[in-house]
Amino acid sequence: MQIQDLPYPDPGVPDARSGPRFLWWLGRNQLRGQFKALAWGLLHFVAVAGLPFCVGLAVDAVVRRSGADLAWSGALMLLCGVAIAVGDTFLHRAAVTNWITAAARVQQLLARKAALLGSTLTRRVAAGEVVAVSTGDVEKIGWFVEAVSRFTAAALSVVVVCVALLCYQPALGVVVAVGLPVVALAALPLLPRATRRADVQREKAGRATELASDTVAGLRVLRGIGGEELFLDRYRRASQEVRQAAVRSARMWSLISAVQVLLPGLLLIGVVWYGVGLAREGRIGVGELVTVYSSIMMLMYPLRHFEEIAMAYSFSRPSARRAAGVLALERPTTTGSDPDAEVPHGDLHDPDTGLLAPAGRLTAVVCGDPDAAGVLAERLGGHPAEAGTSVLLGGVPLDGLPLDTARTAVLVQDKDPVLLSGTLRELLDVPASGDVDARDALAAAQCDDVLEALVQGSLDVKDPMDARLTERGRSLSGGQRQRLALARSLITDPEVLVLDEPTSAVDSHTEARIAEGVRRLRAGRTTVVLTSSPLLLDRADRVVLVHEGAVAAVGVHRELLHTEPRYRAVVTRETDDEAAHGGRATEAGRGGRGTEAAGPGALEELDRLEQIEETA
């Protein structure tokens, strides 16, 4: 896999049982790139290690006054120099390719898992943790995958040099062969503590990231209540904790680096001291001493990769564990395995609550609890928070369909939809049936003023479809963002469209026009709207009251207002005293006086609602 070939057609199925297993799986899937980097690394490091032998030959040639040998050693040095340059260049290319492709594979896996889990992901894993895994942790995992091949090449080169020194000068070669393993492994006892400190730093950084994202997301609200400075102080304290943890971690790694410098220096001093004694005794030549000395000096370079692989593994192991933890998450329901499953048609039925949305009709659902409405919307879309009885579409369980088929059949727009940055044309370029034009969807969602605002906010743009949206549509008001999201949902034209409070941020006149536009554009399609707005409820073909997790009443808006106190309490926002008074009056008047016995407070509220609806 080359960088230009990204993304992967299929990133594969990861082994997410543990962090080390995930790293091993990742390495196995990049064997070709690893072997390529290993080959170039061997060329580079062996050429680096060969330079001392060339220098030793040159010194011996000078001592013997042999011009031919000196020329021969010079040619070998030139060859080693070319090999070093070529090997280092292509080693870097191969290693960086391994890094980027490994990081891209992990990011694709995380993106696929996020798409599979939907909103379940952020309920199981904190938002800051997800951000940290998909950014910093991915980089650390890629670093380890990239470092493995270079470390392997360095380790093999060290073995080759030790064997060569044993053959070239056994007396000094034994000292080097014994001392190098000690130097290479001396930092191992320090690694567990360094890893723990790195984990603490990562944990504190994740909490700070989560706090920062929460603060930025709620900045407007914080300013409104005067709590901006309070949260900024909290973030300052969190960032200082991250800084202190980073300093403690850096101290540990600086100690490891110091050990990696000190011990090779002591080995070099010992070899030189012993070698000088052998040279004075005449047991070795000057050229041999220079060769051994130069070899040890050159070995300092590949030995640095022992420290790097230790750092890379120490940082990537917890990162891989966290990534594996996210990738191991599963939907609480099972999906079918038939990729050719057809999109079912018919009524939408939830056995748990008893909710029935007839095919081709506009059904409004009223829940007294907004959180319960959100959970119900997710259930209707086949994304329940917990395992339970599957929702049926045309008698077919949604949980028994492949995920892409289920999402083609039912689309859920939650109460806080996200708008991605880009042009309006790109925002509305979503998988769709093709039967709904973008202009019709925008008109039904009453987006005329939104289009004007986008054109005015963009330079040299005449077509609103080419106007750019800022990140998450922050330049627009809440109502404008809500209407654009509604238009995007209408364009997809799914078999079933579930809308959770789609007009909570718009005024009543716009809300009435949106209700009529949605009803007209979705004619013949199944639409479920979870709302307590009288304007939407009055235009629904069927209204369902869900109380305490079960269907409590079914009818039309005006009928339920007069006959169902619980429905009226939710829609009219009655207080407890008003609801109790209205309920007693209704019970007393069920003998035939109808709504006249509902009590003065309830009647006044009904009159007010009817006036609002007629005006709208």
Side-chain angles (χ1 to χ4, degrees):
M1 172 63 72
Q2 298 297 318
I3 296 177
Q4 60 266 25
D5 298 327
L6 294 174
Y8 287 93
D10 180 13
V13 180
D15 186 348
R17 288 177 291 177
S18 65
R21 288 178 181 271
F22 178 65
L23 290 175
W24 174 246
W25 174 86
L26 200 60
R28 290 202 321 268
N29 280 269
Q30 299 199 204
L31 286 179
R32 183 177 180 182
Q34 294 286 358
F35 281 123
K36 182 183 295 186
L38 175 61
W40 291 116
L42 283 175
L43 174 63
H44 172 66
F45 289 120
V46 170
V48 169
L51 277 177
F53 293 93
C54 297
V55 172
L57 292 176
V59 172
D60 285 338
V62 171
V63 172
R64 295 194 306 269
R65 300 181 182 275
S66 173
D69 291 344
L70 183 61
W72 173 246
S73 61
L76 288 178
M77 291 178 66
L78 177 63
L79 180 62
C80 286
V82 173
I84 290 172
V86 173
D88 190 29
T89 299
F90 286 95
L91 169 61
H92 181 74
R93 288 172 59 91
V96 171
T97 299
N98 288 337
W99 186 337
I100 294 177
T101 53
R105 185 188 296 271
V106 178
Q107 286 178 328
Q108 281 187 247
L109 291 171
L110 291 170
R112 185 174 67 181
K113 181 60 65 172
L116 176 67
L117 295 176
S119 60
T120 305
L121 175 62
T122 52
R123 284 199 299 269
R124 296 189 183 182
V125 183
E129 183 76 5
V130 175
V131 172
V133 169
S134 59
T135 53
D137 285 340
V138 166
E139 290 296 317
K140 292 182 178 65
I141 293 171
W143 176 28
F144 175 73
V145 173
E146 176 261 346
V148 166
S149 55
R150 287 192 288 110
F151 163 73
T152 306
L156 291 177
S157 300
V158 170
V159 172
V160 169
V161 171
C162 289
V163 173
L165 287 177
L166 284 172
C167 297
Y168 178 72
Q169 178 45 252
L172 291 176
V174 171
V175 177
V176 175
V178 173
L180 279 179
V182 176
V183 172
L185 303 178
L188 286 182
L190 301 175
L191 289 180
R193 181 175 295 182
T195 302
R196 287 195 296 270
R197 292 190 179 185
D199 287 346
V200 171
Q201 177 192 353
R202 165 62 180 75
E203 181 182 355
K204 291 183 179 296
R207 287 202 297 265
T209 302
E210 183 178 355
L211 180 60
S213 62
D214 290 343
T215 303
V216 172
L219 191 58
R220 181 178 298 180
V221 177
L222 293 175
R223 286 175 175 172
I225 63 176
E228 182 180 2
E229 286 299 325
L230 175 63
F231 275 78
L232 288 178
D233 287 341
R234 291 181 182 176
Y235 180 72
R236 290 190 189 100
R237 290 194 297 271
S239 63
Q240 287 301 311
E241 291 179 2
V242 175
R243 181 188 63 81
Q244 293 169 3
V247 169
R248 295 184 72 248
S249 178
R251 287 173 179 169
M252 204 65 216
W253 287 111
S254 65
L255 176 60
I256 293 175
S257 298
V259 170
Q260 292 292 312
V261 173
L262 175 63
L263 294 185
L266 294 177
L267 175 63
L268 181 61
I269 293 173
V271 171
V272 171
W273 177 78
Y274 182 57
V276 169
L278 294 178
R280 292 178 63 181
E281 295 175 3
R283 295 169 59 183
I284 64 172
V286 176
E288 292 174 324
L289 178 60
V290 171
T291 298
V292 175
Y293 171 80
S294 301
S295 298
I296 297 176
M297 289 294 296
M298 290 298 182
L299 284 177
M300 299 300 104
Y301 173 52
L303 282 176
R304 298 295 298 178
H305 290 82
F306 285 73
E307 176 190 351
E308 182 192 13
I309 195 65
M311 292 181 63
Y313 181 72
S314 298
F315 280 102
S316 66
R317 184 178 58 82
S319 296
R321 185 182 69 246
R322 285 184 287 267
V326 174
L327 295 175
L329 297 176
E330 297 292 343
R331 296 180 70 206
T333 55
T334 57
T335 56
S337 58
D338 183 8
D340 300 322
E342 296 183 358
V343 177
H345 304 275
D347 299 341
L348 182 68
H349 176 57
D350 179 18
D352 279 5
T353 61
L355 173 65
L356 176 66
R361 307 288 293 278
L362 174 59
T363 302
V365 180
V366 176
C367 295
D369 182 5
D371 294 333
V375 173
L376 178 58
E378 292 182 355
R379 277 191 53 77
L380 296 178
H383 314 296
E386 299 178 357
T389 307
S390 174
V391 173
L392 306 177
L393 178 60
V396 178
L398 284 181
D399 296 347
L401 295 173
L403 186 60
D404 55 350
T405 305
R407 290 188 172 176
T408 301
V410 182
L411 173 66
V412 178
Q413 177 183 305
D414 60 24
K415 57 174 61 70
D416 187 23
V418 175
L419 303 182
L420 302 179
S421 60
T423 64
L424 181 58
R425 193 184 311 276
E426 293 171 340
L427 175 70
L428 302 179
D429 184 16
V430 293
S433 66
D435 295 336
V436 177
D437 184 76
R439 304 288 178 178
D440 295 335
L442 291 168
Q446 300 299 309
C447 293
D448 292 341
D449 64 316
V450 184
L451 301 182
E452 293 177 4
L454 289 174
V455 171
Q456 293 175 358
S458 303
L459 298 176
D460 301 328
V461 172
K462 296 182 179 180
D463 187 353
M465 300 298 288
D466 295 326
R468 293 196 65 82
L469 294 165
T470 57
E471 181 186 1
R472 299 178 68 89
R474 296 189 185 279
S475 60
L476 303 175
S477 67
Q480 290 173 328
R481 291 196 298 268
Q482 202 171 53
R483 282 177 280 163
L484 281 181
L486 175 60
R488 180 177 59 186
S489 299
L490 292 173
I491 287 176
T492 61
D493 190 35
E495 181 68 21
V496 178
L497 177 61
V498 180
L499 304 173
D500 186 6
E501 294 290 354
T503 58
S504 59
V506 301
D507 60 82
S508 59
H509 296 284
T510 305
E511 188 176 31
R513 293 194 295 270
I514 290 175
E516 192 58 41
V518 171
R519 180 184 178 88
R520 182 180 63 256
L521 195 64
R522 292 287 298 172
R525 289 288 203 181
T526 306
T527 307
V528 180
V529 183
L530 288 94
T531 182
S532 59
S533 167
L535 297 173
L536 290 175
L537 295 170
D538 192 46
R539 285 162 176 77
D541 300 316
R542 175 186 174 93
V543 178
V544 179
L545 171 65
V546 176
H547 181 70
E548 295 182 353
V551 172
V554 179
V556 295
H557 171 57
R558 296 177 184 269
E559 172 190 345
L560 292 176
L561 270 179
H562 292 84
T563 61
E564 180 53 59
R566 291 171 296 184
Y567 178 84
R568 182 170 61 247
V570 175
V571 174
T572 64
R573 278 73 168 178
E574 284 182 347
T575 63
D576 293 340
D577 292 340
E578 290 173 339
H581 179 75
R584 289 193 298 269
T586 302
E587 289 291 339
R590 281 183 177 173
R593 291 189 298 165
T595 59
E596 295 179 359
L603 287 175
E604 290 176 3
E605 187 64 31
L606 291 177
D607 292 339
R608 185 178 67 82
L609 287 174
E610 291 176 355
Q611 290 174 4
I612 292 176
E613 292 166 359
E614 291 172 0
T615 302

